[in-house]
């Protein structure tokens, strides 16, 4: 199952970039302060790139924007806050795969309609997952993990940053497509998970490339595969899952800017232009790519279409795998 098409998204960026003069429109947009909601705690994998984007938009446009962290319930609380805001352009936020595409199928009760309660402003970045093991592991490749799983169903323990995360569902997708029985060990974060995979408590761990990259570089874990269709720039020698016989396998986390439904078209156009303009900045692009992310961009319409496709894709993965939140 193909979850993510990098070439397609790259074309979105080219199609949407500088469709309108962003600075001029943004200067006429508002003199009030915009609240940019990050639905996760400060300093994390969503907060840092969100603040980098906001800083660049402020520098380019002169807009007044404050970042507000509103964590909880897998991002649902922060996204609900954005969805319930007045659609005047003064309340926007950073959505991502989990709270916009995964949670609607995973949670029995979610406080918003992920597709219809938001205005799609634009895609920001994407990044694959990385599967790692400990340096002394008997598994030298993902192929050996798969072979061991087939010989001993259920014996391979895999850690993730939590049930229902993109990392968890990416491994469940691998198990479904490979007809493998793996045992999931969810963790509340990466610290204990890395400690356990280093000591062999779990056989492998899957997390976002930025989250495991420092441990790979420190030599405390050994990468086995990345979930993108092509090797990642910061892990160029690590093979893809697809290269182990899973043709078309491509699973990734993405981030995007949204606002409440019903925002005026001219404001959406201004914010989309400001996003694309920021993504043209080489400094921001280098910051994003340094941790394994790929800058995206594109029009709001292209983001809305992609979001609808992602909702269907992840719903199918959840149904096929039987994944649930613990």
């Amino acid at each position: 199952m193909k979850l993510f098409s990098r070439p397609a998204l790259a074309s979105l960026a080219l199609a949407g970039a500088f469709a309108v003069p962003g600075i001029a429109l943004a200067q006429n947009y508002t003199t009030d302060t915009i609240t940019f909601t990050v639905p996760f705690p400060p300093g994390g994998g969503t907060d840092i790139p969100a603040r980098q984007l906001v800083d660049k938009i402020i520098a380019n446009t002169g807009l007044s924007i404050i970042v507000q962290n509103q964590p909880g319930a897998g991002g649902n609380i922060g996204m609900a806050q954005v969805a319930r805001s007045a659609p005047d352009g003064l309340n926007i936020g950073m959505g991502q795969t989990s709270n916009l595409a995964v949670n609607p199928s995973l949670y029995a009760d979610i406080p918003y309609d992920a597709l219809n309660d938001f205005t799609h402003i634009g895609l920001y970045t994407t990044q694959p997952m990385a599967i790692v093991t400990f340096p002394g592991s008997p598994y030298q490749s993902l192929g050996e993990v798969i072979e061991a799983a087939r010989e001993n169903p259920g014996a391979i323990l895999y850690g993730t940053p939590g049930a229902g995360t993109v990392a968890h569902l990416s491994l469940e997708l691998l198990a479904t497509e490979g007809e493998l029985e793996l045992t999931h060990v969810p963790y509340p974060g990466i610290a204990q998970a890395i400690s356990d995979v280093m000591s062999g408590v779990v056989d492998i761990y899957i997390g976002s490339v930025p989250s495991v990259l420092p441990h790979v570089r420190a030599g405390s874990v050994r990468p086995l595969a990345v979930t993108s269709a092509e090797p990642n720039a910061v892990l160029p020698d690590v093979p893809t899952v697809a290269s182990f016989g899973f043709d078309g396998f491509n699973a990734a986390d993405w981030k995007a800017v949204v606002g409440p439904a019903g925002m005026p078209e001219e404001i959406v156009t201004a914010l989309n232009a400001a996003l694309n303009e920021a993504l043209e900045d080489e400094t921001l692009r280098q910051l994003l790519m340094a941790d394994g992310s790929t800058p995206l961009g594109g029009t709001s319409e292209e983001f809305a279409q992609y979001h609808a496709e992602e909702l269907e894709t992840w719903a199918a993965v959840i149904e096929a795998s039987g994944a649930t939140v613990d």
Side-chain angles (χ1 to χ4, degrees), residues 26 29-30 32-40 46 50 53-55 57-58 61 63-70 75 77-96 100 117-122 256-264 267-275 303:
Y29 166 34
T30 180
D32 295 327
T33 297
I34 299 170
T35 297
F36 191 102
T37 298
V38 174
F40 294 97
T46 299
L53 173 64
V54 167
D55 287 346
I57 290 177
I58 291 173
T61 66
L63 287 169
S64 175
I65 308 175
I66 60 169
V67 174
Q68 179 185 76
N69 297 92
Q70 192 64 259
I77 293 176
M79 284 295 95
Q81 176 175 291
V82 173
R84 293 169 184 155
S85 301
D88 54 9
L90 297 180
N91 291 280
I92 59 178
M94 183 65 74
Q96 59 184 173
L100 290 180
D117 284 353
F118 296 98
T119 292
H120 296 80
I121 295 172
V257 180
V258 297
M263 288 173 59
I267 293 179
V268 177
T269 299
L271 290 174
N272 175 267
L275 168 64
F303 169 31

Side-chain angles (χ1 to χ4, degrees), residues 80-178:
Q81 176 175 291
V82 173
R84 293 169 184 155
S85 301
D88 54 9
L90 297 180
N91 291 280
I92 59 178
M94 183 65 74
Q96 59 184 173
T97 314
S98 60
N99 47 53
L100 290 180
V102 170
N103 292 357
S105 296
L106 195 64
Y107 286 77
D109 185 23
I110 186 169
Y112 51 81
D113 181 323
L115 191 60
N116 297 311
D117 284 353
F118 296 98
T119 292
H120 296 80
I121 295 172
L123 284 162
Y124 179 34
T125 67
T126 184
Q127 57 189 212
M129 304 294 115
I131 302 170
V132 302
T133 188
F134 52 100
S137 168
Y139 309 116
Q140 299 302 311
S141 71
L142 180 63
E144 292 185 5
V145 175
I146 293 170
E147 182 179 350
R150 286 180 173 146
E151 292 176 352
N152 297 287
I156 297 294
L157 306 182
Y158 75 94
T160 73
T165 59
V166 175
H168 171 211
L169 296 176
S170 297
L171 236 297
E172 287 297 322
L173 176 62
L174 171 63
T176 299
E177 292 198 354

